[in-house]
Amino acid sequence: MFLSFFDTRFDPRTLIFLTLSFSVVVISVSSFQLSLGLFIFALGLAVLFRAPLVSTFKKIMLLDGFMILALLSLPFTFASGPSLLIWGVSVYLDGFWLAVSIALKANSIFLCFTALMGRMGVAEFAHALAHLKVPTQFVQILLLMVRYIDVLRLELERMRTAMKCRGFQYSTSWHCWKSIGHLIGMLFVRSIERGEQILTAMKCRGFQGTFPLLHHFHYGRRDSLLILSFFSGLLLFLIFSSSLNLASLMELPSHG
Amino acid sequence: MHIMDGVVSSSLVVGATIVAVSAVGFGLKRIEPDDIPKIALLAAAFFVASVIRVPIGPTSAHLMLTGLLGLVLGPAIFPAIFAGLMLQTFIFGFGGITVLGLNLVNMALPGFLAYLIFMPFLQKEFQSRARDLYASSSSSGHKTFRFIQKNRTFLIGFCAGSFAIAGSLLMVAFSLALSGQAFIPVAKFMVLANLPLIVIEGLFVGVILQFLTSLKPELFAQVNLLQTPALQSSTELRT
Amino acid sequence: MAEAYFKLQDISFSRPGFAPLFSELNFEVYSRETIGLVGGNGAGKTSLFHLLMGLLKPSSGEIIAFGKTCSSEGDFLDVRTQAGYLFQNSDDQLFCPTVEEDVSFGPLNLGQSHKKAIEITTKVLSDLGLSGFEKRITHHLSGGEKRLVALASVLAMEPKVLLLDEPTTGLDELAYERLTDILKRLDISKVIISHDETFLSALTERTYRLKAGQLHLL
Ligand SMILES: Nc1ncnc2c1ncn2[C@@H]1O[C@H](COP(=O)(O)OP(=O)(O)OP(=O)(O)O)[C@@H](O)[C@H]1O
Ligand SMILES: [Mg+2]
């Protein structure tokens, strides 16, 4: 009964609002134990909403490679505070804990996002934005992009196949680079022309500059209940984790 | 070159979000309903093109092409890139939620500046060049003259592309540095590691711009700087 | 005895989640012969070409191309330089700004010098009656002209076999006649997919019908 509450469909606007609020809380928190508390809270959300944890963590690993590298380098480059000598390399504790706290924050937000919004379709998301008073022009751009990204991707794939058939191979040469440039250029030309065709087709069907929206959402009691329990839970976690005294355990610097 | 959630300080996040929202609003104001399909499709094409890897010796790199996007879209670059970043975050959970605004500013602002700076040059180039560069072989321009003409467009593209990515690099590095002492070494490293990319982006934007100006010159002809270039061409058709 | 360029032995193929497209299919292409290929929409004609070019991999069976058994991507790199594939849709094939650049793309991939590539291009274009098209913007050509340019870009690689996927669609009478004429004069192997019987009977020695995953000689 309790768990099935989280399986019901909420108003997408509620979910977007909660995700955003949680993200704001996460980044405005500066102590380590609060970040840890929020991370555990997000983990709990993911369990309650039955987010696919394994594939979520795989996705997290795919996060921008450069940023992961940057995080990994922090303990070695941020020369401040006490340091340990491990295999002849000094590892700075301040840097280490900073990196850990950033990783916690990024992952909390991502977990919360997957838990709350993971099951929302892109089109639903876009419509929810429109109902949140995001300009319809922007929403329309978003919707058209969603619709045509795959079409363009297949077009690019076909052109690449055709290049392969004519013996094209990737290499570091001007010929190769120029060909890739032309390929991208061609993709743009086709996308522009397709955009023109879409406009013509829309006009033929009576388009006069406004986009009607089909989906309508219903904000209900369950949404209020979710918002209420979400924020009370969040508050409890914050109070509980700030009463913990982790800092003395690991000589924590508070950053921020 | 995305910054992820949790790295930058919250005041920077707030500031960047305000700038981003006003920039997107500014861009949207300059869009006519008729241009929306074109802008959306171009944004989609940039999204798709970003999977292409350019081989560079033993490694490879992705292209950003924001300089090009700026030249093609003008002010509409803000909503276009914002939509792209949003989709990236939504579909792949990649890029961060609170830093959406910061990433948008870091990517799109240099692209827009490139547009403001280099579009006038492109316009001049258009006025001075014979209408169709590639079109008729019978057009009796001198060979070396045509060669220079051809490469002027390339040069403008090169500058716009390099400028935009260099700007983005600096802004990302600056955002990191603003977030704390700890990130300064990382920021320095990032700028150094991406220096070759500045040249490569320039080369690609140059080639692609040359391509686009010969296939779709109407995209660049006669632009009022603060309006979407696409808009200009469709009004031309209407009158 | 003529040399076998392609030998498909007991090829089966299905796309994941779809019914099998080919089951134990056998097909051979010898030097200097012209083969017609007909079949309903969706019968798998284009897919067969993709198998020959290594763009799709069979689930079982063997592909022997130019005397070599081909299975990996690397094996097919060689095949692609010796077999010229004209796509069903020329727009997928042509991606360079000018005709000249498009036609010389193949020779450059084969490692020809820039000068040689231009020479080949000029010659192929004039063979196809396209002299003077060198600087034209490919994208702005008509459908039929694009067809011929795509053919030129394939011929520029001097292939031993031509794989033509519905080469006559969208051609006017004049271009149609010209294409028939050009293909008749070309002394290399050809496999032609077409729905046009007169076109096939004018060119081919044998014609197969692709039906239910099998080839039937007509
Ligand atoms: N990328 C793909 N993914 C899934 N199915 C595909 C794909 N490409 C083709 N098919 C399917 O495979 C079958 C054979 O397609 P193919 O293009 O080979 O047919 P064809 O004989 O060339 O038809 P046509 O005469 O229309 O050109 C069709 O049922 C088609 O729907
Ligand atoms: Mg077909």
Side-chain angles (χ1 to χ4, degrees):
Chain A
M1 178 61 216
F2 168 69
L3 278 180
S4 66
F5 172 70
F6 294 98
D7 285 337
T8 48
R9 288 180 56 78
F10 296 99
D11 188 328
R13 288 170 294 181
T14 311
L15 301 175
I16 293 175
F17 168 69
L18 290 180
T19 309
L20 278 184
S21 318
F22 180 76
S23 311
V24 170
V25 171
V26 168
I27 61 153
S28 46
V29 143
S30 57
S31 82
F32 184 81
Q33 63 246 58
L34 287 184
S35 305
L36 191 62
L38 289 171
F39 178 71
I40 295 169
F41 180 78
L43 213 55
L45 276 182
V47 172
L48 283 180
F49 279 88
R50 304 201 200 160
L53 278 183
V54 176
S55 63
T56 304
F57 276 108
K58 265 192 204 144
K59 263 187 178 175
I60 289 179
M61 292 325 287
L62 283 176
L63 275 175
D64 202 310
F66 171 76
M67 285 315 297
I68 288 182
L69 220 69
L71 280 190
L72 288 181
S73 74
L74 271 183
F76 308 103
T77 54
F78 183 32
S80 115
S83 64
L84 297 175
L85 212 64
I86 301 177
W87 293 314
V89 183
S90 42
V91 178
Y92 296 93
L93 282 182
D94 284 8
F96 175 74
W97 289 115
L98 181 59
V100 172
S101 102
I102 290 171
L104 277 181
K105 285 180 175 191
N107 287 337
S108 317
I109 292 177
F110 187 66
L111 274 175
C112 170
F113 165 80
T114 319
L116 296 180
M117 294 172 61
R119 269 178 283 174
M120 199 185 295
V122 187
E124 203 181 352
F125 170 68
H127 279 109
L129 287 184
H131 287 286
L132 287 169
K133 301 283 175 281
V134 172
T136 43
Q137 293 185 318
F138 181 74
V139 174
Q140 205 56 42
I141 290 178
L142 212 55
L143 284 173
L144 279 171
M145 272 182 85
V146 172
R147 165 70 180 77
Y148 283 99
I149 278 179
D150 234 29
V151 174
L152 291 179
R153 204 177 47 77
L154 289 178
E155 229 159 75
L156 178 71
E157 235 20 79
R158 283 200 299 277
M159 286 196 283
R160 288 220 271 197
T161 306
M163 287 168 80
K164 227 159 58 173
C165 284
R166 287 203 267 158
F168 180 70
Q169 283 175 50
Y170 287 90
S171 64
T172 312
S173 65
W174 182 235
H175 168 65
C176 169
W177 284 11
K178 202 168 113 180
S179 303
I180 294 177
H182 290 161
L183 175 72
I184 297 175
M186 203 47 162
L187 184 72
F188 291 161
V189 168
R190 284 167 163 232
S191 72
I192 294 164
E193 290 185 345
R194 202 176 274 271
E196 284 161 359
Q197 286 164 10
I198 294 169
L199 178 66
T200 327
M202 287 191 335
K203 284 191 167 161
C204 293
R205 291 163 62 188
F207 172 73
Q208 284 173 353
T210 54
F211 298 93
L213 282 174
L214 267 185
H215 288 242
H216 291 283
F217 303 116
H218 300 287
Y219 181 90
R221 268 234 304 279
R222 59 191 190 290
D223 291 296
S224 310
L225 199 60
L226 180 68
I227 292 179
L228 202 71
S229 44
F230 186 91
F231 282 110
S232 359
L234 192 60
L235 206 65
L236 274 178
F237 258 83
L238 285 177
I239 294 171
F240 179 66
S241 49
S242 63
S243 66
L244 289 178
N245 200 351
L246 294 171
S248 61
L249 287 178
M250 35 197 195
E251 303 199 60
L252 261 187
S254 56
H255 103 99
Chain B
M1 278 202 306
H2 295 281
I3 289 178
M4 64 190 210
D5 280 321
V7 172
V8 291
S9 59
S10 25
S11 51
L12 187 57
V13 165
V14 173
T17 305
I18 293 171
V19 174
V21 169
S22 1
V24 172
F26 163 80
L28 285 175
K29 275 222 183 71
R30 280 156 188 78
I31 292 177
E32 286 230 335
D34 279 8
D35 298 322
I36 285 179
K38 214 187 279 182
I39 293 167
L41 267 283
L42 265 169
F46 270 81
F47 196 87
V48 168
S50 67
V51 304
I52 295 178
R53 290 177 157 277
V54 176
I56 306 166
T59 62
S60 62
H62 291 288
L63 298 169
M64 299 236 303
L65 303 178
T66 41
L68 183 69
L69 193 54
L71 287 177
V72 179
L73 287 179
I77 187 177
F78 293 110
I81 292 190
F82 195 46
L85 285 176
M86 224 178 217
L87 282 186
Q88 211 169 39
T89 309
F90 191 87
I91 298 175
F92 306 115
F94 174 98
I97 294 174
T98 59
V99 282
L100 215 51
L102 181 64
N103 282 333
L104 171 72
V105 175
N106 286 347
M107 274 179 83
L109 191 61
F112 182 60
L113 288 180
Y115 163 78
L116 288 183
I117 298 170
F118 296 103
M119 197 59 178
F121 286 97
L122 197 58
Q123 301 278 287
K124 258 216 324 269
E125 162 67 12
F126 261 81
Q127 283 159 12
S128 70
R129 83 150 87 155
R131 225 187 184 315
D132 283 310
L133 186 64
Y134 288 105
S136 54
S137 54
S138 58
S139 81
S140 56
H142 191 270
K143 218 175 166 189
T144 47
F145 177 69
R146 289 226 309 265
F147 183 80
I148 293 170
Q149 292 289 306
K150 216 167 126 179
N151 287 290
R152 253 209 322 245
T153 312
F154 174 83
L155 223 67
I156 294 170
F158 181 90
C159 294
S162 303
F163 172 87
I165 191 158
S168 288
L169 261 178
L170 286 180
M171 284 175 69
V172 172
F174 201 60
S175 317
L176 286 176
L178 271 183
S179 308
Q181 279 278 308
F183 297 102
I184 289 177
V186 173
K188 277 185 189 153
F189 173 77
M190 189 203 72
V191 172
L192 283 181
N194 283 303
L195 279 182
L197 218 57
I198 296 180
V199 178
I200 289 163
E201 277 267 334
L203 291 177
F204 272 87
V205 173
V207 168
I208 301 171
L209 186 69
Q210 218 174 312
F211 186 97
L212 288 180
T213 49
S214 55
L215 265 69
K216 297 236 124 212
E218 68 270 22
L219 267 185
F220 306 94
Q222 303 248 319
V223 174
N224 170 356
L225 270 193
L226 286 179
Q227 284 186 334
T228 310
L231 176 138
Q232 207 62 28
S233 67
S234 56
T235 34
E236 232 169 67
L237 286 177
R238 245 180 273 131
T239 49
Chain C
M1 183 60 205
E3 184 190 346
Y5 285 155
F6 278 110
K7 256 191 178 157
L8 299 196
Q9 288 174 350
D10 300 326
I11 291 292
S12 299
F13 171 78
S14 59
R15 289 196 171 79
F18 290 90
L21 202 52
F22 307 121
S23 44
E24 313 228 319
L25 175 141
N26 289 291
F27 182 54
E28 275 149 29
V29 183
Y30 290 95
S31 56
R32 302 190 162 184
E33 67 174 348
T34 301
I35 300 174
L37 205 57
V38 298
N41 291 131
K45 305 178 295 294
T46 302
S47 304
L48 184 63
F49 276 7
H50 280 229
L51 279 171
L52 291 176
M53 295 298 280
L55 301 168
L56 291 172
K57 299 282 182 295
S59 19
S60 69
E62 215 173 40
I63 299 177
I64 302 166
F66 305 102
K68 215 172 78 181
T69 307
C70 294
S71 52
S72 68
E73 178 74 12
D75 298 335
F76 280 103
L77 289 181
D78 229 26
V79 177
R80 288 174 197 153
T81 60
Q82 297 185 64
Y85 175 17
L86 185 75
F87 276 52
Q88 192 167 0
N89 178 357
S90 305
D91 274 323
D92 288 335
Q93 198 157 11
L94 302 172
F95 73 102
C96 293
T98 60
V99 169
E100 185 177 63
E101 279 166 291
D102 240 322
V103 177
S104 59
F105 175 72
L108 287 175
N109 285 334
L110 296 184
Q112 306 276 20
S113 71
H114 195 75
K115 193 161 152 272
K116 186 82 199 302
I118 297 290
E119 262 172 37
I120 296 173
T121 303
T122 317
K123 181 172 175 305
V124 171
L125 285 179
S126 78
D127 283 353
L128 294 185
L130 292 172
S131 301
F133 270 61
E134 283 87 346
K135 302 287 181 210
R136 294 278 291 272
I137 296 177
T138 321
H139 191 68
H140 294 168
L141 299 178
S142 78
E145 288 168 334
K146 277 185 195 162
R147 247 307 120 96
L148 290 175
V149 171
L151 182 63
S153 72
V154 167
L155 289 179
M157 298 180 71
E158 292 165 359
K160 290 182 180 157
V161 190
L162 269 183
L163 306 177
L164 307 171
D165 199 341
E166 304 193 18
T168 57
T169 39
L171 294 189
D172 68 9
E173 274 163 55
L174 208 74
Y176 182 96
E177 296 288 315
R178 201 153 84 198
L179 182 70
T180 318
D181 211 48
I182 290 163
L183 291 179
K184 254 187 199 151
R185 274 189 286 122
L186 267 177
D187 193 21
I188 56 179
S189 303
K190 282 153 253 162
V191 185
I192 306 176
I193 295 176
S194 182
H195 297 298
D196 180 341
E197 276 169 32
T198 32
F199 182 69
L200 285 183
S201 60
L203 286 166
T204 62
E205 287 127 37
R206 12 184 207 131
T207 299
Y208 290 99
R209 173 174 293 280
L210 184 60
K211 203 175 168 189
Q214 290 285 347
L215 284 171
H216 308 276
L217 187 63
L218 291 186

